[in-house]
Amino acid sequence: MATQATERRPLDQAPAWLRPGRRYLAGFGRFLKRKPLGAAGLFMIGIVLLGAIAAPLVTLHEPTTQDVARRLQGPSAEFWLGTDSIGRDVWSRIVYGARISLLVGFVAVGMGATVGMVVGVMSGYLGGRVDTVIQRLVEIGLAFPSLLLALALMAGLGTGLDKVIIAIGLAMMPRQVRVMRGVVLSVKENPYVEAARAIGCRQGRIMLRHIAPNVAAPWLILASAALGGAILTEATLSFLGMGVPEPHPSWGRMLSGAASRYVQVAPWLVISPGAAIAVLVLGFNLLGDALRDVLDPKLRGR
Amino acid sequence: MSTFLAKRSLYALGSLLGATFLVFLLLRVLPGDVALYYLVGSEGEASKVRPEDVARVQALMGLDKPLVMQYLYWIKDAALGDLGESLWLNREVRNALTLALPITAQLTLGGVLIGVVLGIPLGIVSALNQDRPIDYLARVVSIAFLALPSFWLGLLVLLVGVNLFTWSPPVGGRFLLWSEPGQAFQQMIFPSLILGSHLMAIVARMTRSSMLEVLREDYIRTARAKGLQERTVIGVHAMKNAMIPVITIVFLSIGTLLAGTVVLETLFSMPGIGALLLQAINHRDLALAQGLILFMAVVFVAVNIMTDLTYAWLDPRIRLQ
């Protein structure tokens, strides 16, 4: 594909804070001021992210160290959130659990949303037989509620951290493809696409250089909205015993089995993991909502 | 309208066929030899099992035939209403399904009812007070409920119930609202509330944004200019159009609610389809798991068709397109 090295396209449609350059920071500040809920979401994510990165610095124990002699202890100076049924430090497991949640969330969404973008652009732009085949496949995926699809995939793939990520990524793909295709269908009617075709651009180039950048904003919204869902799905699968296996500290896993058995003697086992999930998912939901309002109000309700 | 319905159903049938094949394949690659698992369970020693026994069980399950044949047999029987035999329960899958269905149905309907009854007023109040504190409060409440994992809410209910009120839900029994209303109510009230809280959040958000859009329309201004009471303008004129997307999203959420019952039925030990599905997967009971997933997919797809039809019926503009 022949490309002019100096070609640059203006990003006029993008809001100020997405444009490169010095105005980036100012625009970001304005986003925080105009969207207090989005700022709150960003703050929540920031806290969890910080904890995940600095995990060894903010914990006193390894998340996997067992000490059966000190099982089911209440919160204390040494065990800030108490210990679980085999004597592991709950606070450490919460902090290290953030790594698992963020890892699963980002990788699964990265996978699902990227494939969703590529396939959605191809399906929407090329149309015809390609579109028909892809959409029939998408409909098969859409015949299940996504949690059920993830559950069935886990049943087939078996347990493991990598399998969880694959299952969640695959389960979200049909919807991602469907929505991206819809966006592409409206973008491809623009005169600049027609112009590109008229001067003889190849289809690959049109999709890559003309369609893709112009569906980037809705794609970002869709992906950020999917993050909270992916983290929630991981927690749910792990809670059901079909997700992240031991000894990985997964928030959902911490709530399965032992937690419900010790509801009476060790209520702290129930409270903290759920609160952690809620904070992170709420953070992503708030941020996703704010991003959508700023970038593309038309996507509301999708 | 009838061509619309016929076309839509035909497509749905196609995607269902694809879906059944997908489910079938997924469960065939389930790790571990199903026949071996059936013979020794999870703890037994595989080496003590005679190979001829494994072969006998495989023949019994039809696992000795080629994959394609297995699928064709299954789909043929399923089309005739025979979902095969659950080896774990030692009972027909169809039987197990009909036993579990009422529990799941009353739980899901309870969830829908709660979600709609709480969500619509919340959304309307939010829209009528746009950008005032009460709007912010309602929006934060609904977005928070979207983030709260249902199993955590369930555990909190158990926690508070057990520790503060020495109350726990009736465990394991199959209580139906029409035969044992008291017990059934106790068993399903909290799971329904939790299931409904999620839907409430979705409904409230949709109601708010759709109401805001409708309120800007000319005919609303006309209605106000005519001197109609605000109650009539909102309750009759605005509601009629604002509710169309809300109804759609309620229908579309039924599938998600159905999947949500897996969690809540397991947590509250209710013998419904969701809990049964998880047990079937854990017990490597192929026939049962397959049958239940197929059933859920059929319900989901059927509801989607109904959504399209309701939509076309409520909004004549859609029919014209």
Side-chain angles (χ1 to χ4, degrees):
Chain A
M1 207 181 300
T3 40
Q4 246 98 56
T6 48
E7 189 200 35
R8 275 190 66 187
R9 250 165 322 90
L11 283 163
D12 281 344
Q13 289 102 328
W17 57 273
L18 260 188
R19 265 176 251 158
R22 222 180 314 147
R23 282 194 304 191
Y24 183 92
L25 268 184
F28 184 65
R30 213 167 50 238
F31 169 73
L32 295 185
K33 213 185 273 171
R34 258 189 31 215
K35 292 280 161 198
L37 290 181
L42 210 56
F43 179 70
M44 289 167 163
I45 300 166
I47 295 234
V48 177
L49 197 64
L50 215 64
I53 293 168
L57 301 177
V58 294
T59 53
L60 298 172
H61 303 268
E62 283 288 310
T64 48
T65 308
Q66 303 176 11
D67 186 356
V68 186
R70 293 197 282 184
R71 67 198 286 263
L72 296 178
Q73 286 189 359
S76 63
E78 196 190 348
F79 300 104
W80 297 347
L81 292 175
T83 59
D84 68 5
S85 58
I86 49 174
R88 292 176 298 197
D89 181 25
V90 173
W91 167 250
S92 303
R93 294 183 70 72
I94 294 278
V95 173
Y96 280 92
R99 292 184 170 183
I100 299 289
S101 278
L102 290 168
L103 178 79
V104 172
F106 277 110
V107 181
V109 170
M111 196 174 95
T114 307
V115 174
M117 167 87 143
V118 173
V119 178
V121 167
M122 277 169 46
S123 181
Y125 181 73
L126 295 176
R129 215 169 289 165
V130 179
D131 187 37
T132 311
V133 170
I134 291 175
Q135 290 313 310
R136 290 299 89 79
L137 288 176
V138 163
E139 267 151 33
I140 292 174
L142 289 176
F144 304 95
S146 68
L147 176 63
L148 197 63
L149 188 55
L151 198 64
L153 283 165
M154 283 311 290
L157 294 169
T159 50
L161 188 56
D162 49 342
K163 314 253 171 60
V164 177
I165 294 174
I166 294 173
I168 296 176
L170 282 175
M172 77 171 65
M173 263 175 215
R175 218 183 80 89
Q176 300 273 335
V177 172
R178 188 40 77 81
V179 177
M180 284 320 290
R181 171 182 177 264
V183 176
V184 170
L185 282 183
S186 66
V187 165
K188 83 172 197 189
E189 298 304 325
N190 280 323
Y192 58 77
V193 176
E194 205 184 335
R197 215 178 301 141
I199 60 169
C201 276
R202 297 217 186 125
Q203 291 199 319
R205 186 185 161 85
I206 295 178
M207 282 191 272
L208 199 66
R209 303 296 298 255
H210 298 271
I211 304 277
N214 285 294
V215 297
W219 178 74
L220 192 67
I221 297 165
L222 202 61
S224 71
L227 268 169
I231 289 167
L232 209 51
T233 308
E234 181 273 313
T236 307
L237 288 175
S238 298
F239 170 76
L240 292 173
M242 307 281 301
V244 179
E246 296 283 7
H248 293 295
S250 151
W251 293 338
R253 182 101 205 176
M254 289 169 78
L255 287 170
S256 81
S260 50
R261 235 172 289 134
Y262 297 108
V263 138
Q264 213 159 353
V265 283
W268 57 86
L269 288 182
V270 171
I271 293 168
S272 44
I277 299 170
V279 166
L280 187 56
V281 176
L282 182 60
F284 278 121
N285 285 355
L286 287 172
L287 181 68
D289 263 25
L291 275 182
R292 183 200 58 200
D293 286 352
V294 173
L295 288 176
D296 194 351
K298 276 177 297 184
L299 269 187
R300 197 164 280 168
R302 282 252 189 112
Chain B
M1 195 71 168
S2 53
T3 28
F4 178 67
L5 178 62
K7 227 165 142 188
R8 190 68 184 72
S9 307
L10 210 64
Y11 272 130
L13 206 63
S15 53
L16 262 182
L17 268 180
T20 55
F21 188 63
L22 185 69
V23 170
F24 188 83
L25 272 185
L26 274 177
L27 293 174
R28 294 301 128 159
V29 295
L30 205 72
D33 189 324
V34 178
L36 199 63
Y37 187 87
Y38 173 70
L39 284 171
V40 297
S42 52
E43 273 104 49
E45 279 176 61
S47 55
K48 283 189 184 158
V49 180
R50 289 178 304 169
E52 56 262 40
D53 281 338
V54 176
R56 193 170 47 83
V57 173
Q58 278 180 337
L60 194 69
M61 293 177 173
L63 293 173
D64 52 344
K65 299 188 183 68
L67 212 56
V68 181
M69 291 311 285
Q70 287 182 39
Y71 174 71
L72 289 178
Y73 276 124
W74 177 59
I75 201 73
K76 189 200 85 189
D77 288 346
L80 297 172
D82 176 13
L83 292 169
E85 184 110 3
S86 156
L87 288 170
W88 165 57
L89 291 174
N90 217 346
R91 142 188 303 163
E92 270 189 48
V93 171
R94 186 172 44 177
N95 226 320
L97 182 66
T98 30
L99 262 175
L101 182 59
I103 296 285
T104 306
Q106 64 188 22
L107 175 61
T108 313
L109 288 181
V112 171
L113 201 68
I114 287 164
V116 169
V117 166
L118 297 179
I120 292 180
L122 193 65
I124 293 176
V125 168
S126 204
L128 295 181
N129 295 287
Q130 194 188 2
D131 289 332
R132 296 205 195 114
I134 190 167
D135 175 32
Y136 264 87
L137 186 70
R139 280 162 66 194
V140 169
V141 165
S142 47
I143 202 166
F145 269 109
L146 280 182
L148 295 175
S150 60
F151 52 89
W152 188 50
L153 287 176
L155 281 168
L156 288 183
V157 165
L158 293 177
L159 182 87
V160 172
V162 169
N163 288 328
L164 297 185
F165 302 102
T166 57
W167 172 90
S168 56
V171 164
R174 185 173 170 274
F175 306 113
L176 302 175
L177 270 180
W178 46 92
S179 54
E180 288 150 290
Q183 290 276 58
F185 185 76
Q186 275 207 41
Q187 190 185 42
M188 63 175 275
I189 178 67
F190 286 110
S192 293
L193 271 173
I194 294 166
L195 209 55
S197 69
H198 195 83
L199 182 64
M200 173 199 80
I202 298 173
V203 167
R205 282 154 63 89
M206 192 45 120
T207 306
R208 177 181 182 274
S209 68
S210 135
M211 199 72 184
L212 282 178
E213 215 160 284
V214 169
L215 284 178
R216 264 182 244 124
E217 301 267 342
D218 289 342
Y219 76 93
I220 294 294
R221 199 181 41 205
T222 311
R224 285 199 177 123
K226 277 197 302 188
L228 286 182
Q229 279 191 323
E230 189 64 14
R231 206 169 3 142
T232 320
V233 176
I234 304 294
V236 180
H237 293 236
M239 279 288 269
K240 245 186 191 166
N241 277 319
M243 282 305 104
I244 293 174
V246 177
I247 290 168
T248 315
I249 209 152
V250 169
F251 270 114
L252 290 179
S253 303
I254 288 177
T256 319
L257 290 191
L258 214 53
T261 62
V262 177
V263 172
L264 288 166
E265 286 174 1
T266 303
L267 190 58
F268 285 86
S269 338
M270 299 168 75
I273 291 179
L276 197 59
L277 171 63
L278 191 68
Q279 287 161 345
I281 292 175
N282 284 332
H283 284 91
R284 310 277 198 286
D285 191 335
L286 288 185
L288 188 56
Q290 244 161 234
L292 294 177
I293 295 180
L294 173 66
F295 177 77
M296 285 198 189
V298 169
V299 172
F300 191 51
V301 170
V303 166
N304 282 354
I305 297 181
M306 267 161 54
T307 314
D308 283 358
L309 288 181
T310 325
Y311 206 66
W313 175 63
L314 285 174
D315 192 343
R317 283 170 300 181
I318 309 229
R319 260 176 280 167
L320 290 174
Q321 280 169 9

